[in-house]
Amino acid sequence: MPLTLTLREPPTVPLETEGLSPDRLATRRRGEIEALTVWHGNRRAQLADFFAVSGNGGEELRVEGDLRRVKFLGAGMTDGRLTVAGDAGMHTGADMRGGELVVEGDVGDFAGVNMHGGRLVVEGSAGHQLGGAHPGERAGMRGGEILVHGDAGDQVGTGLRRGLIAVAGRVGDAAGLRMLAGTIVALGGLGAPPGAAMRRGTIVAMSHVTLLPTFAFACSYRPPFLRLYLRHLRALGLPLTDDQIEGRYARWCGDGLELRRGEILILEAGR
Amino acid sequence: MLRIAQGRVYDPANGVDGDVRDVCLNGGKVVEELPSHAPRIDARGMIVMPGGVDIHSHIAGPKVNAARKLAPEEHRADPLDRTAIMRSGTGGTVPSTFTTGYRYALLGYTTVVDAATPPLAARHTLAELRDTPIVDAAFLVLMGNNLPMFELIRDAGPDGAGPVTEAVAWWLEATGGYGVKLVNPGGVEMWKHGNRNVTSLDDEVEGLGVTPRRVLEAIATSVDELGLPHPVHVHCNNLGVAGNWRTTLDTLDTLQGRRAHLAHLQFHAYGGTPGKRPRSRAPELAEHLDAHPEHSADVGQVMFGPATTITADAPVSARLREITGGKWVNADLEAETGCGIVPFAYRERNYVHALQWAIGLELFLLSRDPWRVVLSTDHPNGGSFLSYPRLIRLLMDREFRNEQIDRVNQKAIRRTVLRDRLEREYTLGEIAIITRAGPARLLGLADKGHLGVGADADVTVYGEHEDREQMFATPRYVIKGGRVIVEDGELREAPAGDLLRVEADHDEAIERTLRPLFEEHYSVQFANYPVREPWLLEPARRIPARRDGSGR
């Protein structure tokens, strides 16, 4: 049985658990883990005040319970595997650098914010600012992959610099805001207006999108790289059809107020 | 009572240069002698100096607060937890109020001047200074782009300042300020007319009938007539523009015979032609300053790394924003001034940044009178005040300086005289001048910056260390008003500092002139404008102006 932390009852105010990641817990003894610092609101507390610890260390960590008010799960993790059985709170996987973090339910806002590497899988839906930037930072996510099987909120991939964000459901408004590079794939629709102030990078949509007037039509083609990306996503379990993988895409360049080196690719129907 | 025993004392104002002696403190002042049973600090082998005095910094008011709001990422990276003594806060290039006080004190500084407050924002500045512990603080009041003031100057004509003098004194009284600051006189008002500026002292401020030269003359004359302890503090026109050294010289020539302090001279010492690559004109300016004892400057050294540019010179900010393409605040303070804020980073490999760094060092190393060319980084514009120890090492340690010179953009270095003949190393006595005695004298703070009998008991004790950066970064003891604030590099207590404000009389009749001008230009009622709230103004130490002229 992997090392398992079970939240006894939901905290009254958010509980911040920065540093609770499999790589950091792997080598620690039970007593050390129970004594780790967590912040309950503005009060310092110990992990054991809120969680029951069971199982053994190793490269796998499982967290259970109603974790909607638990923030920063897996923040800064560099290796190993963290499974959240159920919903997780804000900042899940923030500043992540490696390993795999799987949330079996929904995640709150700012999931995967400033991520540098590794893979964040959300089997439910994600909140706002998925793979975004910390407040004040120019650049957001800089590497790694985020896969969401449900929907995602607004401002997905704000300031994205590198990496891949793929959402099976619907993506909210202002996706790819100020993005610098990287890729966002929205399989279930994309809110308006995507790619505002984007400089480089790619946003992929599978249905009609309302674009800003600062995006210009370039061509209609079958981007070779996209096939590789989409096959990769299908292998990871996202529901991609052959039509999407092999289809023709309209390429729109923008944002014209910035460099105009970014692109929004929209699947063309019936081809 | 406290005796600082047998330290090597550097007190240049009293001609003490490294003599081993005792410094006796009692009742918040330096005293001649103490009974032998008085508590003592054994300072054998240590260096004793007066507390540091920062003549030009930006630590309070709406511009500083806007800079804080602009950079949450800096706060994330540098949080301070509450302790038994300290409140929580954040650091970065623009620390929170309490952190600013703690960190200045931990650096051995006990007096700080905020160099630019719009009169309308005096309440905000005063409130923040109240929350900036330990250091005694004063602020300078911006008057160089004030519409009612422009009208007074225009109507006063070329002779005598008359009502302008009374108005300057009225404004200082109305705000609780210490001195007068001019920032790009006329230019900021032109910027507010739509992306324009003045480029010479004789450009007319459109529709207002004044020129930068008239403003400089009138205000400097008024400040001298009032006998304010600190001369007019000038941020010249054309900051940062290649070729601006001519404007700077023109400003100094215009103010000849009147006292004046030039802020952050480094930013005004560029040769070349506008729009092209600048070069250094530091030698010419250093020479000119040497020849004019009525004039002084702080250097405004640029230090490599992160900075936040905070200025009332809004058009300069607009140009910086074009370079960074990042965050920018551009604000208009109705009839008084503008404001611009741009986070910035100085890089060693960048030609302009390396040139700026080198020009600052040239000014320090070429200046023959350390009393009149004093240390500043224009915090946080050229770098944080936390970089002072490194700057001191650059000045004191030639080998270290040459290593650093080798690292930076060499094309820039070739545009300076740093390589050729600047072998000078500052002595500890000279460092004591440029970081405390000099600024205190230029500010007219008779009780600060020295350790003579009757001086404030503000003392910094450093452990002797070959690495001057380390030595100046971590004083062993800091004593403020006779209380031991820092011991072994740790804060022991954090009492409030005093507000330092000037006391300059004015003719009440000036209000009859000002009232209609206010009604014309301001959104604030004249009666509501002066700061009267005791909690903002008291307690304060008032430093008298000497209107009979003996203040010079």
Side-chain angles (χ1 to χ4, degrees):
Chain A
M1 180 182 168
L3 180 63
T4 304
L5 308 178
T6 306
L7 186 70
R8 295 199 187 89
E9 56 186 83
T12 46
V13 294
L15 188 69
E16 297 192 0
T17 57
E18 261 170 296
L20 267 200
S21 57
D23 48 328
R24 268 171 247 174
L25 298 194
T27 55
R28 289 178 198 258
R29 287 192 298 275
R30 173 79 56 92
E32 289 175 329
I33 293 171
E34 287 176 341
L36 285 174
T37 298
V38 294
W39 285 88
H40 186 220
N42 61 2
R43 302 234 168 98
R44 194 190 291 267
Q46 291 195 343
L47 184 106
D49 298 342
F50 294 91
F51 290 94
V53 182
S54 59
N56 293 316
E59 286 295 292
E60 197 167 344
L61 172 65
R62 189 173 168 85
V63 188
E64 299 180 342
D66 182 353
L67 300 157
R68 282 174 297 178
R69 283 212 195 114
V70 178
K71 297 183 180 179
F72 291 99
L73 281 167
M77 68 185 271
T78 59
D79 203 2
R81 182 182 162 91
L82 168 61
T83 306
V84 179
D87 299 340
M90 287 171 67
H91 289 103
T92 300
D95 309 305
M96 203 174 148
R97 285 171 186 273
E100 188 172 35
L101 199 172
V102 178
V103 179
E104 293 176 357
D106 299 342
V107 286
D109 299 342
F110 286 97
V113 66
N114 193 37
M115 187 164 161
H116 280 60
R119 183 181 296 149
L120 168 62
V121 179
V122 180
E123 295 183 354
S125 292
H128 304 308
Q129 288 283 2
L130 176 72
H134 284 298
E137 299 274 10
R138 174 71 183 90
M141 176 172 168
R142 288 150 214 240
E145 294 176 351
I146 299 179
L147 271 65
V148 178
H149 290 268
D151 301 330
D154 296 340
Q155 297 196 16
V156 167
T158 294
L160 181 66
R161 173 166 275 174
R162 197 175 299 132
L164 172 63
I165 302 174
V167 179
R170 195 183 152 69
V171 168
D173 290 346
L177 183 68
R178 292 189 285 106
M179 76 188 254
L180 300 163
T183 307
I184 298 173
V185 178
L187 301 183
L190 194 54
M198 75 189 284
R199 291 170 72 84
R200 297 185 176 83
T202 305
I203 299 175
V204 184
M206 298 301 173
S207 54
H208 173 77
V209 177
T210 306
L211 292 173
L212 284 168
T214 46
F215 281 77
F217 178 74
C219 63
S220 167
Y221 73 137
R222 299 176 203 275
F225 85 93
L226 192 59
R227 266 176 255 170
L228 292 171
Y229 269 56
L230 297 183
R231 284 205 185 97
H232 170 69
L233 290 174
R234 181 150 75 178
L236 290 172
L238 288 197
L240 278 143
T241 64
D242 289 343
D243 285 350
Q244 289 168 334
I245 291 172
E246 305 294 338
R248 288 182 77 86
Y249 287 80
R251 181 177 193 268
W252 292 77
C253 303
D255 183 337
L257 294 179
E258 297 288 338
L259 272 185
R260 207 194 280 277
R261 297 254 175 94
E263 60 183 6
I264 297 181
L265 303 175
I266 305 170
L267 180 67
E268 296 188 327
R271 307 232 212 152
Chain B
M1 284 195 295
L2 184 66
R3 177 190 297 273
I4 302 164
Q6 297 299 301
R8 273 168 56 207
V9 178
Y10 289 88
D11 180 14
N14 294 303
V16 181
D17 190 37
D19 307 1
V20 174
R21 57 169 69 182
D22 291 0
V23 175
C24 297
L25 311 174
N26 195 10
K29 294 284 178 185
V30 178
V31 295
E32 186 74 51
E33 195 43 79
L34 284 174
S36 57
H37 62 79
R40 60 172 59 212
I41 286 173
D42 182 0
R44 276 176 297 180
M46 298 186 197
I47 310 287
V48 179
M49 290 188 184
V53 179
D54 198 339
I55 196 172
H56 188 109
S57 183
H58 299 275
I59 58 167
K63 63 192 190 303
V64 175
N65 217 32
R68 294 185 185 116
K69 287 191 280 188
L70 200 59
E73 72 278 14
E74 278 198 351
H75 308 164
R76 260 174 49 81
D78 191 4
L80 278 87
D81 284 347
R82 184 176 61 181
T83 69
I85 300 160
M86 290 195 284
R87 301 221 196 181
S88 62
T90 54
T93 55
V94 192
S96 56
T97 51
F98 284 93
T99 305
T100 301
Y102 305 142
R103 288 194 169 170
Y104 257 118
L106 284 164
L107 206 61
Y109 272 73
T110 50
T111 307
V112 183
V113 174
D114 182 87
T117 286
L120 264 172
R123 278 183 182 79
H124 189 160
T125 296
L126 287 163
E128 288 202 9
L129 291 181
R130 286 279 174 243
D131 276 352
T132 305
I134 305 172
V135 294
D136 291 341
F139 67 91
L140 306 179
V141 180
L142 290 163
M143 298 193 190
N145 288 281
N146 185 307
L147 295 177
M149 189 67 94
F150 281 167
E151 294 203 18
L152 292 178
I153 291 169
R154 185 192 61 204
D155 297 344
D159 314 319
V164 177
T165 303
E166 301 307 323
V168 167
W170 179 86
W171 249 297
L172 288 170
E173 186 62 25
T175 55
Y178 185 76
V180 180
K181 175 82 176 293
L182 302 179
V183 171
N184 185 7
V188 180
E189 178 58 26
M190 286 297 285
W191 160 252
K192 298 198 301 194
H193 288 209
N195 198 9
R196 297 151 70 192
N197 204 337
V198 295
T199 56
S200 87
L201 296 193
D202 297 314
D203 286 3
E204 190 176 314
V205 186
E206 198 178 72
L208 294 167
V210 294
T211 60
R213 197 185 303 281
R214 279 295 300 130
V215 176
L216 285 163
E217 285 170 343
I219 303 278
T221 302
S222 295
V223 169
D224 269 3
E225 268 183 24
L226 290 169
L228 297 185
H230 183 49
V232 64
H233 195 111
V234 186
H235 157 144
C236 297
N237 305 94
N238 285 332
L239 184 146
V241 179
N244 65 5
W245 74 292
R246 288 182 192 287
T247 311
T248 310
L249 273 187
D250 198 6
T251 304
L252 286 168
D253 284 338
T254 302
L255 296 174
Q256 207 159 23
R258 303 177 184 91
R259 296 179 306 155
H261 178 84
L262 295 198
H264 37 70
L265 186 60
Q266 174 276 127
F267 288 108
H268 304 276
Y270 308 147
T273 43
K276 301 253 174 66
R277 278 194 162 185
R279 47 167 301 156
S280 168
R281 288 290 183 177
E284 287 83 349
L285 289 179
E287 197 168 314
H288 192 277
L289 269 178
D290 269 333
H292 292 83
E294 73 275 30
H295 295 157
S296 60
D298 61 85
V299 168
Q301 176 69 33
V302 152
M303 298 298 279
F304 297 115
T308 303
T309 65
I310 302 179
T311 180
D313 201 342
V316 167
S317 263
R319 276 214 323 280
L320 287 173
R321 166 59 173 67
E322 282 169 19
I323 296 168
T324 63
K327 293 184 268 195
W328 174 34
V329 169
N330 180 39
D332 173 7
L333 283 102
E334 48 179 270
E336 295 185 336
T337 180
C339 170
I341 301 165
V342 174
F344 203 77
Y346 296 99
R347 283 187 284 271
E348 291 176 343
R349 300 283 168 204
N350 180 295
Y351 174 86
V352 174
H353 303 175
L355 185 79
Q356 293 178 307
W357 177 82
I359 289 176
L361 293 179
E362 282 184 299
L363 289 170
F364 277 117
L365 298 171
L366 292 168
S367 128
R368 263 169 253 150
D369 185 357
W371 291 93
R372 289 189 294 113
V373 178
V374 299
L375 183 143
S376 77
T377 61
D378 190 10
H379 163 85
N381 282 283
S384 161
F385 62 81
L386 294 176
S387 60
Y388 293 173
R390 170 162 280 243
L391 174 52
I392 290 171
R393 185 172 181 201
L394 284 167
L395 299 177
M396 291 193 75
D397 182 344
R398 184 171 58 221
E399 208 173 302
F400 174 68
R401 182 167 72 229
N402 286 337
E403 274 169 30
Q404 300 301 309
I405 289 172
D406 287 340
R407 290 165 54 98
V408 310
N409 186 303
Q410 293 302 305
K411 277 190 183 137
I413 294 300
R414 283 196 286 276
R415 294 293 192 174
T416 71
V417 297
L418 269 191
R419 272 259 185 259
D420 313 340
R421 53 193 164 87
L422 297 186
E423 297 293 295
R424 178 175 176 187
E425 288 184 334
Y426 268 64
T427 62
L428 280 170
E430 287 174 319
I431 293 296
I433 296 172
I434 63 170
T435 57
R436 41 266 283 169
R441 183 176 287 181
L442 296 175
L443 287 164
L445 292 169
D447 296 343
K448 300 287 186 192
H450 72 102
L451 296 173
V453 171
D456 286 347
D458 300 348
V459 188
T460 306
V461 181
Y462 300 99
E464 172 71 82
H465 201 294
E466 204 173 318
D467 179 345
R468 300 304 188 185
E469 181 176 355
Q470 199 174 334
M471 170 176 152
F472 280 94
T474 48
R476 292 289 298 276
Y477 298 95
V478 179
I479 294 136
K480 167 74 195 347
R483 297 159 80 165
V484 179
I485 301 295
V486 175
E487 202 176 337
D488 291 331
E490 300 231 348
L491 212 61
R492 290 286 177 254
E493 60 168 329
D498 283 340
L499 172 70
L500 306 172
R501 60 181 293 205
V502 76
E503 183 157 35
D505 297 333
H506 64 269
D507 180 358
E508 300 286 335
I510 189 65
E511 296 199 3
R512 284 200 297 278
T513 311
L514 287 174
R515 186 183 296 274
L517 293 175
F518 262 71
E519 279 161 12
E520 188 183 338
H521 291 293
Y522 274 90
S523 69
V524 181
Q525 291 292 313
F526 186 63
N528 296 336
Y529 183 86
V531 184
R532 294 202 180 81
E533 297 84 340
W535 72 274
L536 289 173
L537 292 171
E538 291 162 15
R541 267 206 263 174
R542 303 205 67 161
I543 289 84
R546 294 177 199 282
R547 204 160 185 175
D548 55 7
S550 61
R552 294 191 188 184

